[in-house]
Amino acid sequence: MHDQHPADDQHGRERGDHDAMSGEEIVIKPYTAPAGGWGSMRGMAEVLPGERPGVDVLDTLRRQNKPEGFMCVSCAWGKPAKPHIAEFCENGAKATAWELTKHRATPALFQQHTVSEMAQWPDYDLEKTGRLTHPLRYDRATDKYVAASWDEAFAAIGAKLKASDPKKVVLYSSGRASLETSFMYSLFARMWGQQNLPDSSNMCHETTSVGLKAAIGSPVATIQLEDYDKCDAIFCFGQNVGTNAPRMLHTLKSCRDRGVEIVTFNPLRERGWERFADPQSPLDMIAGHETKISTQYHQLHAGGDIAAIVGMCKLVIEADDHAIANGGTRVIDHHFIEQHTVRFEAFADYCRRADWDELTRASGLTRGAIEAAARVYMRAERVIAVYGMGITQHRYGMDSLFVLTNFLMLRGNIGREGAGPGPVRGHSNVQGQRTVGITEKTELAPVERLKTLFQFDPPTEKGWDTVESCRAIIAGECQGFVQLGGNFLRATPEHAKMKEAWAKLPITVHIATKLNKSQLVPGQESWILPCLGRSETDLQATGRQAVSMEDSFSHIYGSIGKVKPASDTLLSEPAIVAGIAKAVLPPNPNVPWDAWVGDYGLVRTAIENCYPDKFANFNERMFEPGGFWKGNPAAHRQWETESGKAEFNVPRALNASGFTDKDGRFRLITLRSNDQFNTTVYGYDDRFRGIRGTRMVVMMNRDDMARLGLQEGDTVALESDAEDGVDRVVEGLRVVAYNIPPGNLGGYYPELNYLIPLEHHALESHVPAGKSVPVRVRT
Ligand SMILES: Nc1nc2c(c(=O)[nH]1)N[C@H]1C(S)=C(S)[C@@H](COP(=O)(O)OP(=O)(O)OC[C@H]3O[C@@H](n4cnc5c(=O)[nH]c(N)nc54)[C@H](O)[C@@H]3O)O[C@H]1N2
Ligand SMILES: Nc1nc2c(c(=O)[nH]1)N[C@H]1C(S)=C(S)[C@@H](COP(=O)(O)OP(=O)(O)OC[C@H]3O[C@@H](n4cnc5c(=O)[nH]c(N)nc54)[C@H](O)[C@@H]3O)O[C@H]1N2
Ligand SMILES: [Mo]
């Protein structure tokens, strides 16, 4: 199965992982069906790697996202209080089914193959080996991972970490870990005297956490799921609903059924924002009925959002100026602006002065298109703005977010029913981790409470975020890396340098369910610690345990796994975190790690004591249908900003990419396919985009192809055009003629992460700018 794949070069000049699916034909053909529909039914039937879903999988899916059920690991979309019969989607089913695969990556597999050998396998083949079963220690002499006992693992890891400088060790987490695990992990870090606590959010919605906090004093969505029942227009920027939050399609469909206008801005025509057939409605399915989702669709340039939004704001402000001059009805909500905001005039003047030639050039949209969108906005009483990685992963991502909040504030669309910003978060608990202390910033940690509750002095020196961790790794300063879930090495930018430096880390520890590339570049000492998945029964001293998470709407839910664990040798994440903490820290009677592992309810009580405002009666409320809301001051127009008001900001640039256009330079957008969850590749079928059989493609506008003399199916290389003197290349990419604006290219993450310079990140939030990467095409 593995040996037909050309190698992922370990050394020297990188050529990318060539992972065309062995034996399968590459097919590029536009997909004409809607999102959802029969395609998603077939997709669900094909979710498992060549095996039928067992009773366990079907039972787990039946309970998925329901009160007292199990919360899907795939996305952070809300779970309604009155769930659908099947409250899951094709991709949620895929994620669950792959967690419950019958395949096992046992010690025998690691005896058969050296690490250098497995490091060449594509992500898909690694995922297909199935669930990890035993703690594994890297044995350098044989270049193999060998089984060890948990006691050996904790003792060795503890000894090594204790001998390191805590301030130089990274404790990373992926946004999937529960509130209980995340709280314990962050407490361990601080008791150890450090807060190098980057999480996947640092590559994701950190721009939201920093930008929304600065603008409106709340780092998260101000809306709740119910607000979608009350809005009359939705503006969407840079989110791919059909693939990444498919359950949201039900919400959008019911909005459309009420006549809500949906205006979408995206360089690509993503099928989910075009049309949807509800696979849960037998009538729709039989009748072939589908709902048109977007009433307007604007294909702007990658990084063109600032200009497009400023254009709309300009029209709103000028319409209001006109109304004042002519005694007409005001267009802006001047009461809101006067009472609740600062710096409106500076932004209004900026918009009045903005030049249409520049706005259309930078956005890639015509003035007519921007006017049409602005008309919808001015007609609507209640507007929700939805966005994803298309906003956050740019050099000027925060500016994009600032103008987006300005846009909403113009007509008072924040802090009232049916209106507000609605970032669609990624991982199922990525927002919750930040809530319970996973942060490198002292001001976001409950320092005083930690001191009194647990009797220790938390560190005050800022820790490392993701980019800072990568810098330390590349500079050889990092002394160890523990990852609680995730595939850090594969998910981060500057892949060639990172891979070389990663191997030199004194110790790498991976708490994981599945094999991935990060584990196969072992540090000087390396451990894989296999854990239970969320769908599995977690039996501890006091019985079956539940865990909890927070969704994109700040609702908190309990989740109970009921499937028999993949192996008897697995430990839960809280047990592993406690095991490491006990091996590193001196005992502290106020932090009873063993009792906590025996009863997660005690961890929730500790969380409640640390954050009484958000988690009052946590244990009693965790199974409330629809989850309990932790609250949000901005939703009541209380602004916890520097000025105490909501803040208008003037953007620093009109082009969010952070580089100028020049001949031969393209903006590369790195994307997810429909068959992946982040770096986990489930297959080679990006159904909605009509690309099947390979992930090594570059999507290109036909005019650009003609200019470069390229035909569909030609093979090209992409080279970095960052002008920082670093040679970054990915070869072996097939050209796909695609409906994408000229000057922009699309391709898949993580294969293209070789091309992203580490320093090409959103300025304040440090989110790698994976949605506009400067590249050249080498033919
Ligand atoms: N099935 C599945 N579900 C997932 C994930 C997964 O990998 N698979 N990942 C999870 C995670 S961690 C996350 S963060 C989310 C990610 O979900 P999304 O936020 O949807 O992220 P991407 O898939 O990266 O796609 C971003 C979208 O932005 C568009 N875009 C790119 N550049 C721009 C731009 O400059 N402006 C505008 N307006 N649009 C742009 C792209 O065409 C694409 O449609 O999904 C989560 N859910
Ligand atoms: N170029 C480019 N790069 C990107 C992005 C992009 O759009 N473009 N997106 C970024 C974003 S938004 C994100 S969130 C990152 C994430 O990227 P990843 O780090 O890939 O994300 P995960 O899905 O968290 O990690 C997958 C691994 O988590 C482990 N795992 C799965 N379930 C569990 C569990 O229950 N417990 C534990 N302990 N481990 C588990 C498995 O071993 C699996 O291999 O990638 C970022 N990188
Ligand atoms: Mo993410």
Side-chain angles (χ1 to χ4, degrees):
M1 120 176 136
H2 310 287
D3 46 8
Q4 301 169 26
H5 300 281
D8 162 14
D9 284 355
Q10 283 284 341
H11 304 292
R13 199 178 162 93
E14 300 297 339
R15 56 192 295 283
D17 300 7
H18 194 291
D19 59 359
M21 196 175 190
S22 48
E24 190 174 314
E25 205 190 335
I26 295 173
V27 184
I28 313 287
K29 189 166 91 190
Y31 182 74
T32 52
W38 293 107
S40 87
M41 298 291 264
R42 268 190 298 275
M44 273 186 235
E46 287 168 6
V47 291
L48 272 173
E51 50 182 328
R52 274 161 165 246
V55 181
D56 277 0
V57 177
L58 298 177
D59 184 56
T60 303
L61 288 176
R62 194 175 50 73
R63 300 192 319 111
Q64 191 145 320
N65 301 325
K66 303 223 174 116
E68 308 256 348
F70 137 84
M71 296 302 150
C72 182
V73 293
S74 190
C75 81
W77 188 250
K79 287 94 188 160
K82 291 201 190 93
H84 296 89
I85 298 170
E87 190 60 45
F88 62 86
C89 64
E90 171 192 351
N91 287 342
K94 242 185 247 175
T96 301
W98 279 75
E99 180 166 297
L100 296 177
T101 171
K102 295 194 185 77
H103 294 288
R104 297 288 178 269
T106 62
L109 174 83
F110 295 93
Q111 274 308 304
Q112 280 157 26
H113 305 281
T114 62
V115 166
S116 316
E117 193 188 333
M118 285 192 277
Q120 313 294 312
W121 299 354
D123 306 270
Y124 174 73
D125 289 10
L126 296 176
E127 175 70 16
K128 237 167 71 175
T129 61
R131 290 287 298 278
L132 294 159
T133 58
H134 288 72
L136 299 163
R137 173 182 63 80
Y138 180 61
D139 178 49
R140 191 160 295 279
T142 54
D143 186 30
K144 287 179 177 171
Y145 271 109
V146 292
S149 71
W150 282 104
D151 286 345
E152 284 169 322
F154 291 136
I157 293 166
K160 187 79 179 182
L161 292 183
K162 271 203 287 201
S164 339
D165 175 353
K167 293 218 158 48
K168 303 224 156 120
V169 174
V170 177
L171 301 176
Y172 173 77
S173 42
S174 137
R176 168 179 319 225
S178 66
L179 290 167
E180 292 79 358
T181 309
S182 305
F183 176 79
M184 291 169 70
Y185 197 57
S186 64
L187 183 61
F188 158 53
R190 294 202 168 86
M191 289 174 74
W192 194 23
Q194 62 119 299
Q195 42 192 350
N196 293 334
L197 288 163
D199 81 345
S200 55
S201 176
N202 285 132
M203 302 182 232
C204 188
H205 266 290
E206 189 64 14
T207 309
T208 299
S209 308
V210 175
L212 274 191
K213 173 81 183 118
I216 60 168
S218 165
V220 299
T222 61
I223 54 166
Q224 300 178 63
L225 192 50
E226 303 74 60
D227 285 303
Y228 280 92
D229 299 335
K230 291 162 195 147
C231 66
D232 43 34
I234 298 171
F235 279 70
C236 168
F237 302 84
Q239 194 271 340
N240 183 10
V241 62
T243 289
N244 296 330
R247 285 184 306 110
M248 181 182 178
L249 283 167
H250 296 284
T251 309
L252 295 176
K253 178 182 183 301
S254 52
C255 287
R256 285 296 301 130
D257 290 347
R258 291 194 297 113
V260 171
E261 300 223 44
I262 301 185
V263 181
T264 296
F265 294 83
N266 196 311
L268 309 188
R269 291 197 75 91
E270 303 286 27
R271 185 54 42 90
W273 287 106
E274 292 187 306
R275 48 210 168 86
F276 170 58
D278 186 353
Q280 298 191 13
S281 159
L283 228 58
D284 281 6
M285 292 293 281
I286 293 163
H289 180 74
E290 55 186 56
T291 302
K292 183 175 172 210
I293 297 291
S294 295
T295 45
Q296 286 182 22
Y297 206 117
H298 301 294
Q299 286 181 266
L300 38 48
H301 283 310
D305 304 83
I306 302 176
I309 299 168
V310 167
M312 291 191 285
C313 293
K314 178 180 175 70
L315 293 162
V316 174
I317 289 161
E318 289 177 353
D320 189 66
D321 290 345
H322 187 260
I324 295 174
N326 296 285
T329 314
R330 295 292 298 267
V331 182
I332 63 169
D333 183 342
H334 58 101
H335 295 299
F336 173 80
I337 292 175
E338 280 152 26
Q339 202 184 331
H340 286 288
T341 71
V342 292
R343 296 198 297 269
F344 166 71
E345 274 312 325
F347 179 65
D349 282 343
Y350 170 84
C351 290
R352 290 184 190 109
R353 284 198 313 271
D355 172 64
W356 276 110
D357 283 344
E358 282 178 36
L359 293 176
T360 53
R361 198 171 44 243
S363 64
L365 301 177
T366 62
R367 180 168 171 174
I370 298 174
E371 284 170 349
R375 274 195 297 276
V376 172
Y377 182 69
M378 289 189 264
R379 268 202 305 271
E381 283 300 315
R382 295 167 189 278
V383 176
I384 288 177
V386 173
Y387 67 90
M389 299 299 99
I391 289 287
T392 62
Q393 294 180 334
H394 285 291
R395 189 124 178 103
Y396 288 102
M398 193 159 90
D399 301 72
S400 309
L401 189 52
F402 278 164
V403 291
L404 187 54
T405 27
N406 293 350
F407 173 65
L408 289 171
M409 291 192 298
L410 285 182
R411 286 175 51 81
N413 279 309
I414 299 187
R416 61 185 170 91
E417 274 194 337
V424 184
R425 299 264 170 178
H427 266 300
S428 49
N429 191 39
V430 65
Q431 188 170 311
Q433 292 193 322
R434 288 284 192 241
T435 310
V436 295
I438 300 280
T439 170
E440 72 285 356
K441 295 173 182 154
T442 313
E443 65 275 19
L444 300 182
V447 176
E448 289 310 315
R449 286 225 164 78
L450 291 176
K451 255 190 214 170
T452 39
L453 288 170
F454 307 118
Q455 300 291 314
F456 73 99
D457 280 322
T460 50
E461 192 183 328
K462 186 186 158 297
W464 292 336
D465 60 21
T466 287
V467 162
E468 288 155 352
S469 299
C470 291
R471 281 184 198 144
I473 291 166
I474 290 173
E477 283 164 13
C478 177
Q479 296 182 2
F481 198 101
V482 181
Q483 60 175 348
L484 173 60
N487 186 6
F488 188 84
L489 175 59
R490 190 76 169 138
T492 41
E494 205 74 84
H495 190 57
K497 274 194 203 168
M498 275 294 290
K499 197 148 72 173
E500 215 184 299
W502 188 263
K504 296 183 188 142
L505 283 167
I507 178 167
T508 48
V509 179
H510 308 270
I511 303 167
T513 51
K514 294 277 183 74
L515 192 53
N516 65 39
K517 293 236 177 200
S518 302
Q519 300 150 359
L520 295 169
V521 181
Q524 295 306 297
E525 184 175 336
S526 185
W527 289 88
I528 298 176
L529 306 180
C531 64
L532 290 174
R534 194 184 294 163
S535 50
E536 291 168 323
T537 303
D538 183 352
L539 213 53
Q540 303 292 348
T542 60
R544 190 199 292 272
Q545 302 299 311
V547 291
S548 53
M549 48 242 39
E550 173 183 334
D551 70 15
S552 278
F553 302 106
S554 308
H555 279 238
I556 291 154
Y557 311 78
S559 175
I560 308 181
K562 292 217 168 138
V563 178
K564 184 172 178 298
S567 154
D568 297 340
T569 30
L570 302 181
L571 288 187
S572 72
E573 289 180 333
I576 297 175
V577 170
I580 298 176
K582 284 197 302 174
V584 173
L585 303 174
N588 174 336
N590 303 297
V591 184
W593 296 106
D594 289 330
W596 283 4
V597 172
D599 178 0
Y600 301 172
L602 299 175
V603 184
R604 286 187 287 275
T605 303
I607 294 176
E608 181 176 340
N609 292 339
C610 265
Y611 308 91
D613 303 343
K614 294 172 180 151
F615 290 97
N617 304 320
F618 191 0
N619 280 302
E620 291 78 56
R621 290 198 295 161
M622 68 188 284
F623 289 111
E624 273 177 21
F628 71 87
W629 191 44
K630 75 166 191 208
N632 184 333
H636 312 292
R637 299 195 163 173
Q638 285 160 16
W639 317 104
E640 296 184 351
T641 57
E642 264 178 33
S643 62
K645 302 251 175 159
E647 303 192 357
F648 279 92
N649 290 287
V650 172
R652 291 165 294 185
L654 274 185
N655 164 3
S657 78
F659 49 86
T660 49
D661 293 325
K662 69 173 200 191
D663 213 25
R665 173 179 280 174
F666 287 87
R667 302 176 188 186
L668 170 68
I669 304 172
T670 56
L671 290 159
R672 292 165 166 76
S673 86
N674 191 52
D675 254 2
Q676 80 185 79
F677 190 88
N678 297 335
T679 60
T680 302
V681 175
Y682 297 129
Y684 293 83
D685 186 4
D686 197 3
R687 193 168 76 246
F688 303 133
R689 300 202 184 103
I691 299 171
R692 191 176 188 124
T694 182
R695 295 172 49 83
M696 292 299 284
V697 295
V698 52
M699 302 167 214
M700 200 184 279
N701 180 285
R702 281 195 190 277
D703 292 346
D704 287 332
M705 285 169 59
R707 235 189 320 279
L708 295 170
L710 291 168
Q711 306 287 325
E712 181 132 44
D714 283 355
T715 302
V716 298
L718 291 183
E719 293 176 341
S720 170
D721 197 27
E723 292 180 345
D724 57 359
V726 181
D727 201 16
R728 304 179 185 89
V729 186
V730 174
E731 293 173 338
L733 296 163
R734 277 179 191 250
V735 175
V736 174
Y738 207 80
N739 181 358
I740 182 171
N744 299 268
L745 302 173
Y748 295 118
Y749 132 73
E751 287 81 353
L752 299 179
N753 282 8
Y754 290 96
L755 295 167
I756 309 177
L758 180 58
E759 297 308 329
H760 185 56
H761 55 69
L763 286 169
E764 288 75 14
S765 67
H766 287 189
V767 171
K771 293 296 183 273
S772 49
V773 185
V775 296
R776 289 185 301 273
V777 178
R778 197 175 70 199
T779 55

